[in-house]
Structure formats: structure tokens, C-alpha cells
Amino acid sequence: KVNSITSMLFSLGGKLIMMIIMMLACKGFVKRMIDFIESATNDDMRKTLFGGVCAALIIPLAAVALLFTIIGLPVALVIAGLYIVLMYIGTIITAIYLNERFFKIKNGMVGTTLGLAVLSVICMAPYLGTLIGLVVSTFGFSLIVRVLFWND
């Protein structure tokens, strides 16, 4: 039990550091993300989730396919690295979503920190925690894909 709590605290600390860096370095992206979340309807969110799940499945398959060519090997490694980073950041994006939709705390850092803490505790659940963490990361990844690549 102590190891799981310690690892959860280290994970939460790493995500908090990444959140602070992301919110300071990518103010425009975070603002676009918040604007999309505030204006999105349930239908928009369904489309976002569908597109993100498709991208989350296709990108690793494309990276594996590129591994079989000499020229594609470095490209596949870069794609795999970006994919891992975006899935990690997906949890932070989901915490921003929780704050904007449910907590509605005006201070974005405090609200996102609360969202990260809630998600970290939920992801500690035995057996289902890993599945919930995957869903949370994929949802955040979907929001990233939607804001970066779909301009409605």
C-alpha cells in the first residue's frame, strides 16, 4: 500500500510539473482547448471521442508499419515518442476538461490540480484503475487531436 501511494504521489507531482510547463508554454493552445470545451455540445464531444479513438488506434499501427522500412525507422520512433507524450498529456487535458465542465473553479491551476488529484485517486482503483487511466488518456488525446487538426 505504501508503494502505491508513493508512486501515485510521484506520478501526480510529475503531472503537476508538466501541467505548469504546458500552461505557461502553451497558453494559446490551452486557451483554444478551454474555448472548445466551453462551446462543445454532446454531439461535438462524441465526434471528438470517435476521432481521437481512431487516431489512438491508427497512429501506433502506422508507426509499427514504418518500422519495417529503412527510411521509416526514424520516423516511426519519432511518431512513437510523440504518441507517448501526447497520451501522457491527455490526462492533464482531461483534468482541464473536468475543471471546465464540472468543478468550474476560476483559477485554472487550482481547478486542474483538483482534476488531476481526482483522476489519480480514481486510477488507483484495483483492477479497473488501468482501464480507467487508459480511457482518461485517450479522452484527453481525443481533445488534443480535435483542437490541433479539426477546424470547424
Side-chain angles (χ1 to χ4, degrees):
K1 290 286 182 189
V2 173
N3 275 343
S4 64
I5 292 172
T6 305
S7 66
M8 192 257 324
L9 289 175
F10 278 121
S11 174
L12 183 60
K15 287 178 183 170
L16 287 174
I17 291 169
M18 181 66 96
M19 175 195 68
I20 291 168
I21 291 170
M22 187 179 81
M23 291 185 115
L24 293 176
C26 307
K27 285 183 182 179
F29 174 74
V30 173
K31 176 150 178 31
R32 283 179 37 206
M33 180 72 61
I34 291 171
D35 290 344
F36 172 75
I37 291 170
E38 288 175 347
S39 67
T41 62
N42 286 336
D43 191 46
D44 289 338
M45 294 312 286
R46 267 189 261 143
K47 288 178 189 174
T48 299
L49 191 56
F50 178 74
V53 168
C54 289
L57 294 173
I58 291 171
I59 290 172
L61 293 175
V64 168
L66 285 171
L67 284 174
F68 295 109
T69 65
I70 301 289
I71 296 172
L73 181 65
V75 174
L77 294 175
V78 169
I79 289 172
L82 286 173
Y83 179 77
I84 290 169
V85 168
L86 288 177
M87 287 298 276
Y88 183 78
I89 292 174
T91 306
I92 299 169
I93 298 299
T94 304
I96 292 171
Y97 176 82
L98 284 177
N99 181 41
E100 294 300 320
R101 281 289 170 122
F102 301 110
F103 304 144
K104 299 189 186 303
I105 297 173
K106 294 296 180 198
N107 186 338
M109 292 286 200
V110 172
T112 304
T113 303
L114 177 64
L116 278 175
V118 167
L119 291 174
S120 295
V121 169
I122 291 172
C123 291
M124 282 182 56
Y127 305 112
L128 289 177
T130 304
L131 180 64
I132 292 169
L134 181 64
V135 169
V136 164
S137 292
T138 303
F139 180 73
F141 180 77
S142 300
L143 288 170
I144 293 169
V145 169
R146 175 67 185 247
V147 169
L148 287 179
F149 300 112
W150 292 355
N151 296 324
D152 290 339

